[in-house]
C-alpha cells in the first residue's frame, strides 16, 4: 500500500511548488497546476505560457481540474487514515501492540519481544525516543526547507532571466529589421534616382536623334523630288529647253552634308562605373559609426539606453531586469560593450549642461554590486561634475578640482601600453586631467548619469582611402 501511495503521490505534485495540488486548474495543453502557482508564474511572465511546455494559453481563466482535485483530496484522506493506523501498529511476530522502544537495537518492541530477544537491554517510551529523533529530523527538515527556498529563488530568477532573454530577442529583432529597412529604403531611393537620371539622359538624347532623323528625312524627300524633276526634264527635250534655267537651279542643292557622329551616346560608364562602390560611399553618410557603444547588460536598471546604444539617461520607467553578474547594480552606470587590452582608443562624450555625471574607464574586475569611489584604487579612472564643480578622482583623500567650467564635450583617450588615460575639452582642446598608472587589465568605457538629459557618444567622421595593395 505504501509503495502504491508513493507512486500515486508523484503524479499529484504541482510542477511549480512540488506539493500536492491545491485547487488545481487544467490548461489547454493538458498540464495542471495549483491555481495560485499558475497566477504567480503568469504575473512574472505575462505571456500566459504553460510553465512546462511553454505553449501559449488562451486569454480566459483556466478551468478547474475537478477530477484531479477529487483525487488529491482522496489521497490526503487516505494518508491521514494510514497515519492513524500506524499509531497502533502491532508486532509482526507476536501480534501485540508495539509499546516500547529498545535503545540497544533502535526498534519498536512488544512486551513479549522484551522477554525473548531483548533481555538486559535499555528501553524507553515511544514518545521519548521519538522526541529526540524529531529534533534531529526537524534540523534536517529546516535545512531542506532552506535549500528548497534557495532553489525556488534561483528558479524564480531563472524564469525572469528567460523572460528577459525573450524580450531582448524580440526588441533586438525588431531593431535589426528597422535598421535594414532604412538601408533598403536608401537603396530603393538611390536606385530610383539613378534610373531616373538614366531615363532623363535617354529621353534627351533620343529626342535629339529623332529631330536629326526628321530633318534628314525632310532633306532626303527634297533631294528625291529634285532628282525626279531633273530626270523628267532630261527625258522631255522640249520641256528642258523651255525651263532650262530653273532646271539647273533645282538640280543644285547646297545644304552641307550631315555628320553621322553629331549626337553623343548615353554615358554608360557614368551610370555603371563603380556603381556599387559609389552607392556604398553615399550610404556611409547615413550610417554613423560609433567608436564605443554601450552594453545594455551592464546598465543599472534605473537607466535607459538609446536604441542605437550610443546614449544613456535616467529612465522614467521602472525596468524589471535580472541582476546578472555584469550589471552595475548600485550606481546609475553603464559600461561600453567592448573592453580594450592593447593599443590606443579614443571617443567623444557630449555631456551638455548635465550637472551630475561621471566619465572615464573601468577595469573589467571593477566591483559592480557595492558602493565604491571612482578612484584608481578601485579600478576606476574618471572625471566628473557635481553641481557646478569638476573633479578628477585621485584617491580617497585627494580629489583634484578641474578649472574648466564650460565643458560640453569631452574626448577620452586610453593608451593601454603607456597606462595613460587623458581627458580633454573637445571644443577648446584644453587638457583636463591625465592619469598615469600601470594598466594590466582589460579596460571598459564608463558612464554615470542621473539626468534625463543623455550622455551621448558622438560618431566619428569616416572617410574612404583608395590604394592598391
Amino acid at each position: 500500500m505504501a509503495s502504491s501511495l508513493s507512486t500515486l503521490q508523484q503524479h499529484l505534485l504541482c510542477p511549480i511548488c512540488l506539493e500536492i495540488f491545491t485547487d488545481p486548474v487544467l490548461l489547454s495543453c493538458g498540464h495542471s497546476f495549483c491555481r495560485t502557482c499558475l497566477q504567480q508564474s503568469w504575473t512574472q511572465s505575462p505571456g500566459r505560457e504553460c510553465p512546462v511546455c511553454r505553449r501559449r494559453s488562451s486569454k480566459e481563466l483556466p478551468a478547474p481540474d475537478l477530477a484531479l482535485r477529487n483525487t488529491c483530496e482522496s489521497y490526503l484522506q487516505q494518508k491521514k487514515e494510514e497515519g492513524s493506523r500506524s499509531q497502533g501498529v502491532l508486532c509482526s511476530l507476536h501480534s501485540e501492540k508495539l509499546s516500547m522502544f529498545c535503545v540497544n537495537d533502535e526498534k519498536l518492541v512488544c512486551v513479549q519481544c522484551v522477554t525473548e530477544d531483548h533481555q538486559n537491554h535499555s528501553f524507553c517510551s515511544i514518545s521519548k525516543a521519538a522526541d529526540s529523533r524529531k529534533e534531529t529530523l526537524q534540523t534536517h527538515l529546516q535545512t531542506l526547507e532552506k535549500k528548497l527556498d534557495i532553489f525556488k529563488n534561483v528558479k524564480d530568477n531563472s524564469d525572469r532571466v528567460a523572460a528577459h532573454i525573450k524580450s531582448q530577442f524580440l526588441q533586438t529583432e525588431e531593431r535589426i529589421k528597422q535598421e535594414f529597412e532604412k538601408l533598403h529604403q536608401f537603396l530603393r531611393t538611390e536606385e530610383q534616382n539613378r534610373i531616373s537620371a538614366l531615363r532623363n539622359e535617354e529621353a534627351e538624347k533620343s529626342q535629339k536623334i529623332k529631330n536629326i532623323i526628321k530633318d534628314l528625312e525632310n532633306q532626303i524627300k527634297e533631294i528625291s523630288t529634285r532628282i525626279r524633276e531633273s530626270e523628267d526634264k532630261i527625258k522631255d527635250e522640249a520641256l528642258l529647253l523651255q525651263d532650262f534655267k530653273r532646271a539647273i537651279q533645282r538640280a543644285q542643292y547646297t545644304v552641307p552634308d550631315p555628320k553621322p557622329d553629331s549626337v553623343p551616346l548615353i554615358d554608360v560608364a557614368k551610370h555603371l562605373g563603380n556603381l556599387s562602390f559609389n552607392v556604398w560611399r553615399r550610404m556611409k553618410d547615413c550610417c554613423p559609426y560609433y567608436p564605443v557603444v554601450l552594453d545594455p547588460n551592464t546598465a543599472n536598471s534605473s537607466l535607459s539606453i538609446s536604441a542605437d546604444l550610443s546614449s544613456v539617461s535616467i529612465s522614467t520607467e521602472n525596468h524589471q531586469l535580472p541582476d546578472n553578474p555584469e550589471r552595475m547594480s548600485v550606481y546609475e552606470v553603464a559600461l561600453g560593450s567592448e573592453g580594450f587590452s592593447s593599443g590606443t582608443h579614443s571617443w567623444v562624450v557630449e555631456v551638455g549642461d548635465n550637472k551630475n555625471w561621471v566619465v572615464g574607464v573601468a577595469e573589467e574586475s571593477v566591483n559592480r554590486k557595492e558602493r565604491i569611489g571612482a578612484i584608481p584604487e578601485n579600478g576606476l579612472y574618471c572625471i566628473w561634475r557635481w553641481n557646478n564643480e569638476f573633479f578628477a578622482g585621485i584617491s580617497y583623500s585627494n580629489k583634484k578640482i578641474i578649472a574648466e567650467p564650460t565643458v560640453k564635450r569631452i574626448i577620452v583617450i586610453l593608451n593601454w601600453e603607456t597606462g595613460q588615460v587623458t581627458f580633454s575639452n573637445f571644443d577648446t582642446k584644453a587638457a583636463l586631467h591625465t592619469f598615469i598608472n600601470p594598466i594590466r587589465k582589460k579596460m571598459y568605457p564608463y558612464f554615470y548619469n542621473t539626468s534625463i538629459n543623455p550622455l551621448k557618444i558622438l560618431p566619428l567622421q569616416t572617410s574612404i582611402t583608395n590604394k592598391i595593395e
Side-chain angles (χ1 to χ4, degrees), residues 181-420:
E181 177 55 31
K182 287 166 58 177
L183 297 177
H184 294 159
Q185 183 58 46
F186 173 86
L187 290 174
R188 286 192 291 266
T189 301
E190 190 72 15
E191 177 187 12
Q192 292 170 2
N193 291 340
R194 289 177 177 270
I195 290 177
S196 178
L198 174 63
R199 184 176 290 113
N200 291 338
E201 183 178 352
E202 184 273 338
E204 177 187 353
K205 293 182 176 178
S206 293
Q207 186 60 46
K208 285 183 179 180
I209 197 66
K210 287 178 181 178
N211 294 338
I212 291 174
I213 292 173
K214 184 177 181 180
D215 183 62
L216 290 171
E217 288 175 345
N218 292 334
Q219 299 291 342
I220 291 171
K221 183 178 180 181
E222 176 64 20
I223 294 172
S224 299
T225 301
R226 293 185 180 215
I227 290 173
R228 286 194 300 272
E229 289 177 359
S230 297
E231 289 176 342
D232 291 342
K233 289 180 179 179
I234 290 174
K235 294 177 182 179
D236 189 337
E237 295 177 349
L239 182 61
L240 174 63
L241 293 174
Q242 289 177 351
D243 198 14
F244 178 72
K245 187 177 181 179
R246 185 174 183 278
I248 290 299
Q249 290 177 345
R250 294 287 293 170
Q252 296 177 6
Y253 195 71
T254 59
V255 175
D257 294 343
K259 296 180 180 180
D261 59 346
S262 59
V263 178
L265 302 178
I266 287 179
D267 190 352
V268 175
K270 180 184 72 174
H271 297 286
L272 292 183
N274 289 319
L275 175 60
S276 299
F277 176 82
N278 289 331
V279 172
W280 172 73
R281 183 166 55 185
R282 281 177 48 78
M283 182 182 288
K284 77 177 181 63
D285 295 332
C286 67
C287 302
Y289 172 75
Y290 297 94
V292 168
V293 294
L294 301 170
D295 182 0
N297 293 337
T298 67
N300 185 276
S301 60
S302 64
L303 294 176
S304 176
I305 305 295
S306 62
D308 61 1
L309 310 182
S310 68
S311 66
V312 56
S313 60
I314 205 72
S315 177
T316 57
E317 302 177 5
N318 183 20
H319 300 296
Q320 297 297 322
L321 301 176
D323 190 19
N324 47 298
E326 310 97 300
R327 195 169 306 284
M328 306 297 290
S329 301
V330 178
Y331 292 110
E332 291 81 356
V333 170
L335 299 181
S337 65
E338 180 182 1
F340 305 118
S341 56
S342 64
T344 300
H345 308 272
S346 64
W347 55 96
V348 179
V349 184
E350 183 176 85
V351 297
D353 295 323
N354 286 0
K355 293 185 177 180
N356 299 315
W357 50 260
V358 182
V359 170
V361 294
E363 294 178 353
E364 183 177 27
S365 58
V366 68
N367 192 323
R368 308 182 186 212
K369 307 300 180 184
E370 298 178 3
R371 292 189 174 274
I372 58 173
I375 57 176
E377 288 91 329
N378 294 328
L380 294 169
Y381 303 80
C382 300
I383 65 172
W384 65 84
R385 177 179 180 178
W386 188 257
N387 294 327
N388 291 320
E389 292 187 294
F390 294 80
F391 300 92
I394 307 298
S395 66
Y396 282 109
S397 59
N398 186 9
K399 297 176 183 178
K400 179 181 178 182
I401 298 179
I402 302 172
E404 185 71 23
T406 60
V407 177
K408 301 295 183 181
R409 296 188 292 180
I410 298 170
I411 181 169
V412 184
I413 302 175
L414 167 66
N415 188 323
W416 196 89
E417 273 73 18
T418 63
Q420 287 186 323

